Amino acid sequence: MSLGWHIGKGGEYKVNLPVLSDDEIEVINHIENMFKEITKYKEFDSPDKAKKEIHKLLMKYCESEEIMIDEDQEEYLTKMTVYHIYGFAGMEELLKDNSIEEIGIIGLGKPVYVYIRKQGWKQTNLYYDDLEFTINLINKMSRTIGRRITYKNPRLNAILPDGSRLHASIPPISNVEVTIRKFRENPMTVFDLLAFKTVSDEAMALLWFLMQSDISILIAGNTASGKTTTLNALFSYIPLNERVLITEETPEINIPHKHIVKLISNPELNITLSNLVSDSLRMRPDRVIVGEVRTSEEVSALMDTILSGQARGSYATFHAQSSVEALNRLRSLGVLDIDLPSIDVIVIQRRMMKYNIKTRNSVEVRRIVEIVEVDKKNIGRTNPLFVYDYEEDKWKPNYQDSELLSRLSSSLGMTKKDTLAEIKKRKEFLKKNMKKKWDFATAVNEIQKFGYGLSL
């Protein structure tokens, strides 16, 4: 007898839920049938109301069947039944653990894995063992953006109600795969990036100016390098009174601005990123984010918004391990050589392993390893603004005599000397506040007050 999921024994990471007996599983299955009949799976205003309804059904069933349960059993049976019928079948326990960065279902009857910050992948005692149940679970998790996984459409990208990113696949592509990248309740700030040594304070001060001016930026890197996290953090440098348009395949961008227009593509309705970018030409945005670009169509949408000149700056994330690789991949995806220089700056962020010979320990780190301007005269070439020294774990500046600095100064109506002086002031501000434990809202407020006299 099965629910379609269960808590087993063993596992390096213990999900704090009980191992159910066959009799308890039978009770939950009966409650599920009663719930279907009485409520027709109607939506409740809150999880608490669903819990009350399910608890009522549990007690009614136990009374009618003369089943005796103690107080503890009543509590955990209610909880497990809510998870089974109304919730995410035990996944809630993993989603609420802030030490977990990633969750992975790797097949039916196999343990779920979690990636724990600073520890790596751990096997859990949570299992999913029924195909139809797991498909229904995936669709339940993705319903906030109206997408479904089916045998005709066996791949899915979606966002959970808490903002976590979900990718799923089912047969014939896989033996059921679900990967959830957890959403941070308190997004990382530019000060967090500095504290984690993702980048230097001087490089961050330059990025502040680049974000403020009429510069388009592509943030590239390998998988899970923190590209979207960095883009979200850098948007705290954009004045809060600007209008921001976000076009994405899957909603991931989380920025502090109030004047935001979000457009989500929908392949099932044949609404593409290109369609949304075309629509955006009538929306008068100050900034445009095209989310993550991977395919030739998505890259084309990014180039359309940059080349149209509709905003002060356009931004996107991309998969590439160096600026040279980024340009070559853009070419392979259809970008003409003549259009490459319209991308002003490329930021490369990488996820790397650092190995300590003395302690024999490996530590995963994330570093911005390149900040380059795309050369306007020599097609396909870049000029370094900051370069990361792998051996010294430091950043070497090379921007003071760059063509970009001159453009940057002109776009803001400043002299080169004044721009350099302001970058120094911003560097000192960032360095001074780097160790303060500010939440995202406070960090944004302090940056906006310092830079523009604005606040949330």
Side-chain angles (χ1 to χ4, degrees):
M1 185 171 293
S2 172
L3 294 173
W5 64 285
H6 72 276
I7 300 297
K9 296 177 181 179
E12 302 165 277
Y13 180 100
K14 302 288 188 183
V15 177
N16 189 26
L17 292 173
V19 177
L20 298 175
S21 68
D22 287 345
D23 288 340
E24 289 172 330
I25 291 172
E26 186 177 356
V27 168
I28 292 176
N29 280 326
H30 278 292
I31 302 306
E32 181 179 19
N33 291 332
M34 293 169 67
F35 188 85
K36 287 179 184 177
E37 182 64 31
I38 294 172
T39 67
K40 306 299 182 185
Y41 277 126
K42 71 179 180 182
E43 291 293 327
F44 287 87
D45 295 338
S46 70
D48 286 341
K49 289 185 178 180
K51 182 178 179 180
K52 287 178 181 177
E53 183 69 30
I54 287 168
H55 179 259
K56 189 193 303 181
L57 291 173
L58 172 65
M59 300 312 292
K60 180 180 178 181
Y61 176 76
C62 289
E63 183 180 351
S64 67
E65 297 296 315
E66 297 182 348
I67 298 172
M68 299 292 292
I69 58 174
D70 59 30
E71 198 171 305
D72 286 344
Q73 198 174 19
E74 178 184 335
E75 184 178 342
Y76 74 68
L77 277 177
T78 300
K79 184 176 186 177
M80 293 291 279
T81 310
V82 170
Y83 280 177
H84 179 67
I85 299 174
Y86 193 76
F88 295 159
M91 193 67 72
E92 294 91 339
E93 295 292 315
L94 304 179
L95 290 169
K96 69 185 182 183
D97 185 342
N98 291 329
S99 71
I100 295 175
E101 292 186 350
E102 205 121 356
I103 303 167
I105 297 176
I106 62 168
L108 296 177
K110 296 182 178 181
V112 174
Y113 280 78
V114 292
Y115 189 94
I116 299 177
R117 195 173 296 115
K118 297 183 180 179
Q119 296 182 38
W121 288 103
K122 303 288 184 183
Q123 179 180 315
T124 76
N125 57 338
L126 175 62
Y127 294 77
Y128 295 93
D129 40 36
D130 181 82
L131 179 58
E132 293 304 322
F133 176 83
T134 311
I135 289 174
N136 289 334
L137 174 64
I138 293 167
N139 287 328
K140 190 188 294 187
M141 290 193 284
S142 65
R143 65 186 174 190
T144 53
I145 59 173
R147 293 182 186 168
R148 292 183 59 80
I149 197 167
T150 65
Y151 292 114
K152 289 185 177 180
N153 182 28
R155 295 163 55 243
L156 177 73
N157 287 302
I159 291 291
L160 301 188
D162 71 349
S164 297
R165 187 170 78 177
L166 177 148
H167 176 272
S169 61
I170 60 173
I173 290 177
S174 71
N175 179 30
V176 181
E177 164 271 328
V178 177
T179 305
I180 298 173
R181 185 162 298 169
K182 290 275 299 296
F183 169 77
R184 291 176 65 99
E185 288 188 14
N186 187 27
M188 288 185 72
T189 70
V190 293
F191 302 106
D192 293 325
L193 296 180
L194 291 171
F196 292 139
K197 295 183 68 177
T198 304
V199 69
S200 71
D201 46 23
E202 186 175 3
M204 191 58 92
L206 177 65
L207 286 168
W208 188 339
F209 250 127
L210 294 177
M211 294 295 291
Q212 181 182 347
S213 62
D214 301 347
I215 299 289
S216 291
I217 300 176
L218 182 68
I219 299 179
N222 53 353
T223 301
S225 58
K227 301 180 293 294
T228 302
T229 297
T230 293
L231 180 59
N232 284 334
L234 290 178
F235 252 76
S236 61
Y237 291 148
I238 300 290
L240 290 174
N241 56 8
E242 293 193 6
R243 174 179 170 92
V244 181
L245 173 64
I246 303 173
T247 62
E248 297 179 271
E249 180 193 356
T250 304
E252 295 179 53
I253 305 298
N254 179 29
I255 62 175
H257 298 68
K258 294 179 181 176
H259 194 164
I260 299 175
V261 178
K262 287 191 176 186
L263 303 175
I264 309 300
S265 66
N266 192 321
E268 293 175 6
L269 298 177
N270 202 28
I271 299 171
T272 66
L273 276 180
S274 294
N275 299 143
L276 301 180
V277 168
S278 178
D279 291 344
S280 74
L281 296 174
R282 304 172 181 86
M283 297 182 187
R284 196 174 179 173
D286 293 314
R287 312 280 174 169
V288 174
I289 303 174
V290 189
E292 183 178 10
V293 293
R294 294 158 300 186
T295 65
S296 57
E297 182 186 61
E298 292 166 351
V299 168
S300 175
L302 171 65
M303 298 310 297
D304 283 347
T305 191
I306 292 175
L307 293 170
S308 68
Q310 64 167 324
R312 294 193 181 103
S314 297
Y315 314 87
T317 61
F318 189 61
H319 281 270
Q321 304 229 45
S322 70
S323 56
V324 172
E325 183 180 317
L327 291 176
N328 287 336
R329 287 203 64 223
L330 288 170
R331 277 197 184 105
S332 72
L333 290 169
V335 179
L336 301 175
D337 282 353
I338 196 172
D339 292 334
L340 282 176
S342 63
I343 300 172
D344 300 297
V345 171
I346 298 175
V347 176
I348 302 293
Q349 181 162 322
R350 293 191 61 196
R351 176 171 59 104
M352 306 179 294
M353 294 299 294
K354 282 191 172 287
Y355 180 65
N356 189 314
I357 298 175
K358 294 179 181 178
T359 63
R360 300 289 174 180
N361 287 331
S362 294
V363 179
E364 187 176 85
V365 298
R366 290 167 174 83
R367 297 285 187 266
I368 288 177
V369 297
E370 289 184 75
I371 303 175
V372 304
E373 67 170 320
V374 179
D375 200 306
K376 304 295 182 187
K377 298 174 183 175
N378 300 301
I379 302 300
R381 294 188 59 184
T382 61
N383 302 315
L385 303 171
F386 273 90
V387 177
Y388 173 67
D389 187 308
Y390 287 80
E391 290 187 6
E392 296 183 16
D393 197 21
K394 292 181 180 178
W395 292 263
K396 296 182 178 179
N398 193 43
Y399 67 92
Q400 296 194 2
D401 296 318
S402 66
E403 178 66 28
L404 185 73
L405 187 66
S406 299
R407 287 179 53 216
L408 183 63
S409 303
S410 298
S411 72
L412 296 173
M414 300 172 65
T415 65
K416 187 175 176 180
K417 181 180 178 181
D418 287 342
T419 301
L420 288 170
E422 181 62 19
I423 289 174
K424 185 177 180 181
K425 287 180 183 177
R426 294 184 182 191
K427 172 187 172 182
E428 291 169 354
F429 168 81
L430 292 167
K431 188 174 183 179
K432 174 184 174 184
N433 295 298
M434 182 177 72
K435 294 183 179 179
K436 292 184 177 176
K437 302 297 183 182
W438 284 336
D439 60 21
F440 189 68
T442 303
V444 171
N445 264 328
E446 294 300 322
I447 288 168
Q448 294 286 321
K449 281 192 290 185
F450 182 90
Y452 319 115
L454 299 172
S455 61
L456 282 171

